[in-house]
Amino acid sequence: MAKLDQTKTPFFDKIRAYGVSGTTALDVPGHKLGSIDNEFTRYLGHNVFSMDANAPRGLDNLSKPKGVIKEAQALAADAFGADHAYFLINGTSQGIIAMIMTAVRAKEKIIIPRNVHKSAINGLILSGAMPIFMKPHMDSELGIANGIILSELRETIEEHPDAKAVFVINPTYFGVTSNLKEIVKLAHEYNMLVLCDEAHGSHFGFHDSLPLSAMEAGADMAACSIHKTIGSLTQSSMLITKGNRVDPNRVQSTLNVLQSTSPSSLLMASLDTARSYMAVNGKEKLDELIKMADETRKKINKIKGFKAITKEYIWNHKGYDYDETKIMVKVSDLGLTGFDAYNILSQESNIQMELAETHLILAVLSIGTTQQDLDKFVEGLKNLKKHKTDKEIRHKIRFTYPDSYTRPREAYHAPKKYVKLEDALNEVAAENIMVYPPGIPLVIPGEIINAEILEDLEFYTAQGSTILSDTEDGYIKVVDKDKWYKYEGDL
Ligand SMILES: Cc1ncc(COP(=O)(O)O)c(C=O)c1O
């Protein structure tokens, strides 16, 4: 697929050479390429710091690339089947916010599933866009939200033909995708952009038996967490675009609003090398991984009480496709919640799962996963069986989402007050509250807090989940309706 020489790593080569060039560093950063002998420098080693330089001459500038960053980004675009690639040093969160700010202005509509990551909600706050939320398909057996259904999207588009963009999660945290190719076709018929959250799908384009990548499906933009599934350093991601519906200048200027003027060269070098490795070796490595994952699912399904989710299961439950490099295991038939299983696997088998939900646990595999890791996982599950109980796991799934009172941006800027959670019923939220991971808000700014949200918060708190919000635990920031005023203009 790639046309350029993907063995090349221009940015990494240049920064590595700079690190050993003997340059007298009278610039920032203050560690002077590793000259401060502290515990951290000693532990990591000199090489790390020698490469942590801040855009000196010849090393290019992320906000206006003309040299090795431009070359490295062009190689990345080629590898991902995109026209343009932009290195992100603040994660896919930055890419998602940038996609929304690029595509939709204040008060313009964007069609978006309600089970999006908090960064998409933050994109709505920053852009001022009007969300037209779609309910994802709910899997009542697993208690999770999946993709969107094409016929429902068609109805939503026909109701809101003036929307500027459709936002798609490709795939969800759990690995489930929607029929992206048809979604793109439909959205483009109505002149709408298609923006993809590809945080968990950066590897899709490198193997034919994985779901279609955003670029393969013809989407306009995608934000990809290279750090999650391809192996660059945490926080390093890419925004990729294709076609002429998106103006590259507007994308760059939006990114420049959102990013540091001191981007980490370590993050960028790790993107450059991870891309090269994946482009050269990805197909073969993914081949091995997909086989290992498949064998592991079969082994797990032979242990009574566990159910490792297969592609066939997803197809039979209205999912379009499934990323088989994820292993989702239903544990609740053993009288254990996913949270119980997550803790026991950590405490007794030293296994760190990606996340737990009421009924299941999720393992995220990558080309760095070994057979040994998966054998250990199967052994860990066998050990878990000892903890079987007669408890009936409370069936926990919300089929509705809260009603909206106002746009997220308006609620964010409105006068506010802090109330105790138990007094918050029917108040309008002024902040995101979510369980992390997965980081999908239970309530977002502008939504009316209902009894189900309060119940969910109580439930997840009791399970020991991490609840993230901007406010002290037990309180919530809400709109002060007595002081409520409507903004004029394009807020
Ligand atoms: C579905 C989804 N989208 C976006 C993000 C944000 O990605 P990042 O952590 O790279 O900012 C995450 C992170 O967990 C995610 O799960």
Side-chain angles (χ1 to χ4, degrees):
M1 161 175 94
K3 294 185 196 75
L4 303 178
D5 178 358
Q6 289 293 333
T7 61
K8 284 187 169 177
T9 50
F11 183 76
F12 172 64
D13 296 352
K14 190 87 176 183
I15 193 83
R16 183 170 54 176
Y18 181 78
V20 294
S21 64
T23 302
T24 302
L26 296 184
D27 61 348
V28 294
H31 62 64
K32 303 293 176 189
L33 308 179
S35 301
I36 299 176
D37 183 28
N38 65 23
E39 218 175 322
F40 192 55
T41 322
R42 260 174 270 140
Y43 185 72
L44 290 189
H46 182 74
N47 282 353
V48 175
F49 287 85
S50 76
M51 287 177 52
D52 187 40
N54 190 6
R57 197 160 288 171
L59 268 161
D60 212 358
N61 194 308
L62 184 62
S63 66
K64 193 170 185 177
K66 291 178 177 171
V68 279
I69 294 179
K70 187 173 176 181
E71 225 184 296
Q73 291 187 156
L75 281 159
D78 180 54
F80 285 88
D83 290 342
H84 299 278
Y86 303 81
F87 286 179
L88 306 173
I89 38 91
N90 192 21
T92 292
S93 298
Q94 182 195 342
I96 287 175
I97 294 170
M99 289 196 296
I100 296 175
M101 286 175 73
T102 301
V104 201
R105 295 170 202 269
K107 295 186 180 172
E108 289 181 342
K109 292 178 185 169
I110 178 169
I111 296 172
I112 186 164
R114 179 55 184 78
N115 58 328
V116 283
H117 182 257
K118 70 173 257 198
S119 55
I121 306 300
N122 291 337
L124 299 175
I125 293 172
L126 287 167
S127 65
M130 163 73 86
I132 305 298
F133 281 120
M134 283 194 64
K135 212 174 88 173
H137 175 67
M138 302 293 204
D139 180 322
S140 53
E141 184 181 339
L142 299 177
I144 58 170
N146 289 333
I148 50 173
I149 308 286
L150 191 63
S151 57
E152 292 174 16
L153 175 65
R154 187 182 297 279
E155 278 169 28
T156 310
I157 286 184
E158 280 168 5
E159 228 177 286
H160 301 276
D162 52 338
K164 298 291 177 201
V166 175
F167 189 96
V168 185
I169 313 167
N170 190 53
T172 64
Y173 213 132
F174 303 97
V176 179
T177 63
S178 309
N179 187 351
L180 189 55
K181 202 166 184 173
E182 289 303 314
I183 290 174
V184 170
K185 223 165 101 190
L186 178 63
H188 284 172
E189 271 169 33
Y190 283 79
N191 225 3
M192 297 176 192
L193 293 177
V194 179
L195 321 178
C196 291
D197 171 350
E198 213 160 54
H200 295 277
S202 314
H203 54 300
F204 282 3
F206 296 92
H207 199 285
D208 287 346
S209 61
L210 292 172
L212 276 192
S213 72
M215 295 296 108
E216 286 168 326
D220 301 282
M221 304 173 100
C224 307
S225 293
I226 310 300
H227 69 95
K228 287 192 200 292
T229 58
I230 294 193
S232 61
L233 287 174
T234 295
Q235 216 173 304
S236 62
S237 291
M238 286 190 209
L239 178 61
I240 50 181
T241 68
K242 193 170 177 172
N244 53 14
R245 290 181 184 82
V246 180
D247 172 8
N249 286 331
R250 186 162 159 81
V251 176
Q252 186 68 65
S253 56
T254 310
L255 290 173
N256 291 350
V257 168
L258 298 171
Q259 80 200 358
S260 166
T261 49
S262 309
S264 159
S265 48
L266 293 174
L267 295 186
M268 293 191 286
S270 82
L271 283 172
D272 202 19
T273 45
R275 177 271 313 152
S276 170
Y277 186 83
M278 195 65 167
V280 175
N281 306 294
K283 160 100 183 55
E284 183 193 326
K285 293 283 170 194
L286 284 167
D287 242 1
E288 286 167 22
L289 178 66
I290 292 164
K291 280 187 199 123
M292 286 196 301
D294 202 38
E295 283 305 310
T296 307
R297 266 187 290 273
K298 284 185 185 135
K299 284 181 198 162
I300 295 170
N301 280 331
K302 282 190 188 140
I303 316 173
K304 201 158 173 263
F306 293 111
K307 181 169 179 172
I309 301 307
T310 59
K311 208 179 229 185
E312 289 68 33
Y313 173 96
I314 298 296
W315 286 336
N316 291 335
H317 288 76
K318 290 198 174 174
Y320 183 73
D321 206 352
Y322 182 55
D323 173 8
E324 291 181 291
T325 71
K326 314 257 186 296
I327 301 187
M328 199 180 352
V329 184
K330 186 179 182 207
V331 297
S332 52
D333 295 338
L334 286 172
L336 297 169
T337 64
F339 307 101
D340 298 328
Y342 179 100
N343 291 333
I344 296 168
L345 284 167
S346 167
Q347 285 152 13
E348 297 187 6
S349 303
N350 198 18
I351 292 172
Q352 179 60 53
M353 299 305 299
E354 172 62 21
L355 68 72
E357 262 297 341
T358 307
H359 293 274
L360 58 89
I361 47 175
L362 173 72
V364 172
L365 317 184
S366 82
I367 56 171
T369 302
T370 63
Q371 183 60 52
Q372 247 178 336
D373 296 336
L374 297 176
D375 291 344
K376 209 175 145 199
F377 182 33
V378 174
E379 286 311 305
L381 291 176
K382 284 182 184 158
N383 175 62
L384 189 61
K385 264 194 88 165
K386 290 194 313 221
H387 297 270
K388 184 176 185 313
T389 75
D390 294 330
K391 237 183 353 184
E392 197 194 331
I393 303 305
R394 184 157 78 98
H395 190 72
K396 180 94 195 45
I397 180 160
R398 204 141 54 92
F399 282 97
T400 57
Y401 286 101
D403 291 332
S404 174
Y405 184 79
T406 183
R407 273 183 305 145
R409 183 183 177 101
E410 238 174 356
Y412 182 83
H413 285 290
K416 300 177 199 60
K417 60 182 182 180
Y418 295 90
V419 295
K420 285 191 172 155
L421 277 175
E422 60 258 35
D423 301 328
L425 190 64
N426 296 327
E427 297 282 359
V428 175
E431 63 178 332
N432 287 311
I433 301 189
M434 75 215 77
V435 180
Y436 192 86
I440 299 166
L442 297 172
V443 66
I444 68 168
E447 282 181 344
I448 302 166
I449 298 162
N450 60 26
E452 280 181 316
I453 290 171
L454 297 176
E455 252 172 51
D456 281 359
L457 279 171
E458 208 181 311
F459 172 77
Y460 284 115
T461 306
Q463 298 301 326
S465 300
T466 305
I467 311 286
L468 294 184
S469 70
D470 303 332
T471 306
E472 197 185 326
D473 286 351
Y475 285 80
I476 179 168
K477 188 161 57 178
V478 298
V479 170
D480 186 342
K481 285 193 214 143
D482 294 337
K483 295 193 194 140
W484 172 257
Y485 54 92
K486 283 274 174 192
Y487 294 93
E488 298 293 330
D490 258 359
L491 182 80

